Amino acid sequence: MKLTLKANSKINLLLDITGIKKNGYHKLFTIMQSISLGDIITVEKTDGEEITVSCDTEGVPTDKRNIVYKCAEKFFDYAGIKKNTGIHIHIEKHTPFCAGMGGGSADGAAVLVALNKIFNTNYPEKVLCRIGVKVGADIPFCIVGGTALALDTGAIVAPLPDLEGYHIVVVKPNDGISTKEAYDAVDSLEYMKHPKNEQMLEYFADCDFPNGLKLCSNVFEQAFDINGRVDIKDIMNKNGAVASCMTGSGSAVYGIFKEKENAEASAKLLEKQFENVYICTPEKNGVEIISQKN
């Protein structure tokens, strides 16, 4: 069997750090949203005896370091499938690197969904999430997808009403920052202003998106600067964005627009300064099966 899937990336509509666990991991309160920008993942059962990975983009590891490889291993371990089962995974990259958009996590989520179907294990979503969280904290959300609240390290995911009728412009500045550097910067803050978490959650639960989106916020923006971020948000806001914010630990910045024309006008201006500009829409799913060949 051969499956081709779309692994939708994500943005953080709200991202707060509420504490640090005994194991050193940060406790999060975040509302995430799947968007239409995503990688294309092909998963195929082979006659070989190992997991192999390929990618159309230079610089992406195609060995055991890749999240998709790790997810396949964890799936086989959980399902009791013998180690010498042959599977090939191909990644067609569209989501930018070091952007805070969960590209690798989305790819891993797609692999888990594919293997569940290929091997007829029929695991429910919550079991796939349990397998995925062993590899990455964002993977459970990328499996569930849509609009959702994520808590703790990101492993607890609660679906929310779908965000609909909006257009999203995403810009990846040339500069990037590693996740470790971003968290180190946050930890060094003497004072952190926290977003209005409960109020935004209440708005989203009640489908009051106009008021909810006014509260989009990311505490990482207090900890470090990314060249171009202020200019990006300024252009978005001047062109009618109802919200503009950095996603994840950076460095991508998004703007949310009610009118498509405003999103397009903003993107056109941003393309004059930045190479990676995308116009997206909210998605209801984290993973979509595009085609299946038996």
Side-chain angles (χ1 to χ4, degrees), residues 9-29:
S9 57
K10 61 83 178 172
I11 58 173
N12 296 80
L13 300 174
L14 181 142
L15 177 52
D16 189 19
I17 296 173
T18 57
I20 300 179
K21 297 165 69 74
K22 291 181 180 179
N23 60 9
Y25 285 96
H26 293 75
K27 296 173 68 176
L28 305 178
F29 184 110

Side-chain angles (χ1 to χ4, degrees), residues 32 49 59 64 66 116 136 155 169 176-177 181 187 213 230 239 242:
M32 292 194 274
E49 296 184 349
K64 292 184 178 183
N66 197 298
N116 194 36
V169 176
I177 184 168
E181 288 174 328
D187 290 342
L213 291 172
V230 173
N239 282 274
V242 298

Side-chain angles (χ1 to χ4, degrees), residues 75 112-113 116 123-133 139 143:
F75 180 87
L112 292 174
V113 170
N116 194 36
Y123 292 135
E125 197 172 71
K126 65 180 180 180
V127 171
L128 295 182
C129 289
R130 195 182 311 152
I131 298 170
V133 76
I139 293 177
I143 292 171

